[in-house]
Amino acid sequence: AQSVTQPDIHITVSEGASLELRCNYSYGATPYLFWYVQSPGQGLQLLLKYFSGDTLVQGIKGFEAEFKRSQSSFNLRKPSVHWSDAAEYFCAVAPTGNQFYFGTGTSLTVIP
Amino acid sequence: KAGVTQTPRYLIKTRGQQVTLSCSPISGHRSVSWYQQTPGQGLQFLFEYFSETQRNKGNFPGRFSGRQFSNSRSEMNVSTLELGDSALYLCASSWDAPSGANVLTFGAGSRLTVL
């Protein structure tokens, strides 16, 4: 069965520091991979996606993610965090079509 | 263009009642999916509709149902509400690319509280 693991439930970083959120997935083939962000009381906003090709993908708000097939990982990174980045981050995989499997999320707190 | 619109945004029901939630997808998107988000279970897939047909279904009891209209708008219904149905219900739409490489665009959700 497909599964997505986000091992960090909560992360606290200082504003201006770098950030890496981890995501590992379990699936036989390479699925489509996504990172979404959710602010309190809101829906999910797409940060970036990986379908194929270059394993380093760029997204909105200065985020990037790297797909590593050997590690079944799709970690999200940002070189310098802003206070407005505080939110919940979800990694998702879509083995086929529109049935997405989401991780449990990582809550990010940014300290001024 | 307008995003995914969900109504109502907030609602309170009592146990045993039923509820209907509505979702208007992005214009041109023919696939609509529904997810339930709770603190304990996270985001769970309910079902997906495409061209008025349920194409995929998650592992939820039959009390959860949905439908899609010819204009791609979708509704989901939960009958005989239980306390555990309290959740944020998220609707997402997509264009449905032939390759299967789709991106879900989410609405802001409908927050259901069951008392």
Side-chain angles (χ1 to χ4, degrees):
Chain A
Q2 299 83 3
S3 68
V4 181
T5 302
Q6 293 182 246
D8 304 305
I9 296 174
H10 186 255
I11 284 182
T12 300
V13 299
S14 298
E15 192 168 15
S18 64
L19 172 70
E20 181 170 27
L21 303 183
R22 296 181 290 166
C23 173
N24 293 92
Y25 65 89
S26 172
Y27 182 63
T30 299
Y32 301 128
L33 298 160
F34 307 81
W35 276 98
Y36 282 86
V37 61
Q38 185 179 35
S39 298
Q42 298 299 313
L44 278 69
Q45 180 184 22
L46 178 71
L47 283 175
L48 46 77
K49 63 186 183 295
Y50 173 78
F51 288 159
S52 65
D54 192 347
T55 56
L56 183 65
V57 294
Q58 304 296 319
I60 62 171
K61 304 183 181 184
F63 286 92
E64 67 178 26
E66 185 172 15
F67 167 58
K68 292 186 177 180
R69 186 191 310 274
S70 61
Q71 299 176 20
S72 296
S73 69
F74 188 56
N75 294 347
L76 181 72
R77 299 193 295 249
K78 186 170 185 178
S80 178
V81 171
H82 188 262
W83 64 266
S84 60
D85 293 325
E88 187 97 18
Y89 292 80
F90 293 92
C91 180
V93 302
T96 58
N98 290 336
Q99 186 165 349
F100 281 40
Y101 296 86
F102 287 86
T104 51
T106 297
S107 177
L108 174 65
T109 297
V110 180
I111 299 174
Chain B
K1 54 184 175 182
V4 178
T5 304
Q6 292 188 245
T7 57
R9 287 293 313 279
Y10 303 92
L11 65 166
I12 300 174
K13 294 287 187 179
T14 57
R15 280 180 298 174
Q17 287 187 312
Q18 74 165 15
V19 66
T20 299
L21 309 178
S22 179
C23 173
S24 293
I26 290 174
S27 178
H29 286 190
R30 296 194 297 163
S31 170
V32 174
S33 303
W34 290 88
Y35 288 79
Q36 181 196 63
Q37 185 178 25
T38 60
Q41 299 298 317
L43 281 150
Q44 293 186 289
F45 173 76
L46 281 157
F47 28 65
E48 182 215 359
Y49 286 85
F50 178 79
S51 291
E52 302 179 62
T53 301
Q54 187 180 86
R55 189 159 65 174
N56 287 301
K57 187 178 189 303
N59 189 26
F60 278 82
R63 299 186 297 107
F64 292 81
S65 63
R67 59 177 176 169
Q68 186 181 33
F69 302 95
S70 58
N71 62 357
S72 293
R73 191 177 70 84
S74 176
E75 290 180 346
M76 69 162 283
N77 184 275
V78 187
S79 63
T80 319
L81 284 166
E82 301 176 359
L83 295 178
D85 297 332
S86 294
L88 180 66
Y89 289 88
L90 292 164
C91 169
S93 72
S94 71
W95 176 62
D96 201 59
S99 65
N102 295 304
V103 172
L104 295 183
T105 302
F106 284 85
S110 292
R111 171 75 63 184
L112 171 64
T113 301
V114 182
L115 301 177

